[in-house]
Amino acid sequence: MELNRKFAADQHRYRTMPNEELRESFVVSDLMQPGVLTLTLSDIDRGIIGSAVPLGEALTIGTFSELGGGPFLARRELGIINIGANGRVNLGGEEFAMTRLDSVYVGRGDHEVSFTSDDPANPARFYFVSYPAHKAYPHKHVPQSEANRIDLGAQATCNERTIFQPIRPGIVDTCQLVMGFTCIAEGSVWNTFPPHTHDRRSEFYFYFDLADDARVFHLMGKPNELKALPLSNEETALSPSWSMHSGVGSGDYSFIWSMGGENQEFDDMDHIAQADLA
């Protein structure tokens, strides 16, 4: 199993980069391959983005010299969300049954993490994010029904959406990981608009439930020097702490957001006025 690497450009170099170079720096693709577990280590807060689509056999996260060797979670925590059919997450004997849009938080430790599908012909599709952790917190399974729910936006402004917060303070204790998902309502296209940034943490956006020919235009950079990354289904945009983020799709879609950094408060945002976008 290979641990891919992703190195982000800084807030000066991104200004002159064409889309191909921006994607190389800020986009993780090749996720959700049938029968494959993928892992990408970003130098943005040393976050790891991964996916697992188990078929007939379990898929297990291995060990890597890039992480200092030993168990994958020896110095890390992990958040998992299933966007597919029913499956299971096994933590060295402790097992969690996962239906679509269920979440699991896994604390640091020497436990092995593996993924299985209940029906290989209709597999689970696990997306996960890992950050360094200084303390071991208990594992926890959070069904979609138990996630904190926030309804935002309006049809008139094309940004009607529902935010689900399963891995957040008050529901799950974590070192730095905050993770959840947003579902855009039919007829709306904007997420996180008006845009914002948060200098105290980075954020990763995994877009899913897009049609094959649909695209989300993920906006990044400084407010007066915007770049747009066209993303297809099941690709992740990496947003460093210095970059604003927002997005607009060619139709409705969903996305998993995950954050790591100094502050876990979801509302800790520096809002950007639309008039300041240029």
Side-chain angles (χ1 to χ4, degrees):
M1 183 188 305
E2 181 180 1
L3 180 63
N4 301 311
R5 301 296 299 271
K6 184 72 65 171
F7 299 97
D10 63 32
Q11 57 188 301
H12 304 292
R13 191 164 75 87
Y14 90 95
R15 299 168 176 168
T16 59
M17 295 170 69
N19 275 11
E20 182 180 356
E21 292 182 7
L22 284 170
R23 286 184 59 85
E24 177 62 28
S25 196
F26 296 108
V27 177
V28 177
S29 51
D30 298 325
L31 295 163
M32 299 298 174
Q33 302 176 47
V36 176
L37 190 150
T38 68
L39 291 163
T40 298
L41 170 62
S42 170
D43 65 346
I44 299 175
D45 288 329
R46 287 192 64 79
I48 291 179
I49 301 93
S51 66
V53 184
L55 300 179
E57 298 181 357
L59 297 175
T60 302
I61 302 180
T63 62
F64 304 94
S65 60
E66 295 92 339
L67 306 180
F72 177 77
L73 293 176
R75 292 167 294 276
R76 287 185 161 270
E77 60 186 352
L78 179 69
I80 306 165
I81 296 178
N82 178 20
I83 65 167
N86 294 352
R88 298 175 186 275
V89 175
N90 190 291
L91 305 175
E94 187 174 1
E95 188 175 73
F96 297 98
M98 299 272 285
T99 61
R100 177 173 163 83
L101 298 181
D102 280 3
S103 305
V104 163
Y105 171 76
V106 185
R108 67 175 281 178
D110 60 1
H111 30 267
E112 184 179 79
V113 182
S114 62
F115 305 89
T116 58
S117 294
D118 290 2
D119 179 6
N122 186 22
R125 299 165 67 81
F126 297 102
Y127 175 79
F128 53 89
V129 174
S130 172
Y131 281 106
H134 62 273
K135 180 180 177 179
Y137 285 106
H139 315 321
K140 186 170 183 179
H141 171 239
V142 185
Q144 180 185 7
S145 60
E146 295 181 12
N148 186 55
R149 174 174 174 155
I150 304 174
D151 295 303
L152 290 176
Q155 190 176 50
T157 49
C158 300
N159 66 348
E160 186 178 4
R161 61 201 188 275
T162 300
I163 299 173
F164 294 90
Q165 301 173 327
I167 300 176
R168 57 153 287 171
I171 296 178
V172 179
D173 291 326
T174 71
C175 291
Q176 61 172 313
L177 176 67
V178 180
M179 189 174 181
F181 52 94
T182 299
C183 301
I184 307 297
E186 184 176 1
S188 287
V189 293
W190 283 99
N191 71 65
T192 319
F193 196 83
H196 66 269
T197 186
H198 28 65
D199 195 46
R200 293 152 292 281
R201 59 192 180 198
S202 56
E203 187 163 6
F204 302 153
Y205 282 76
F206 170 71
Y207 293 98
F208 67 103
D209 283 350
L210 279 74
D212 290 342
D213 60 346
R215 293 293 182 270
V216 169
F217 297 89
H218 183 86
L219 304 178
M220 63 159 294
K222 298 292 186 177
N224 62 338
E225 293 177 309
L226 286 180
K227 294 283 189 177
L229 288 170
L231 300 183
S232 56
N233 190 42
E234 297 178 349
E235 290 190 313
T236 295
L238 309 177
S239 184
S241 59
W242 53 263
S243 175
M244 62 153 278
H245 37 262
S246 184
V248 59
S250 55
D252 55 89
Y253 55 94
S254 300
F255 65 96
I256 295 173
W257 44 266
S258 55
M259 296 180 281
E262 295 182 73
N263 196 337
Q264 295 181 310
E265 293 301 320
F266 184 83
D267 293 330
D268 176 24
M269 305 174 187
D270 300 317
H271 294 279
I272 300 169
Q274 297 181 56
D276 293 334
L277 299 177

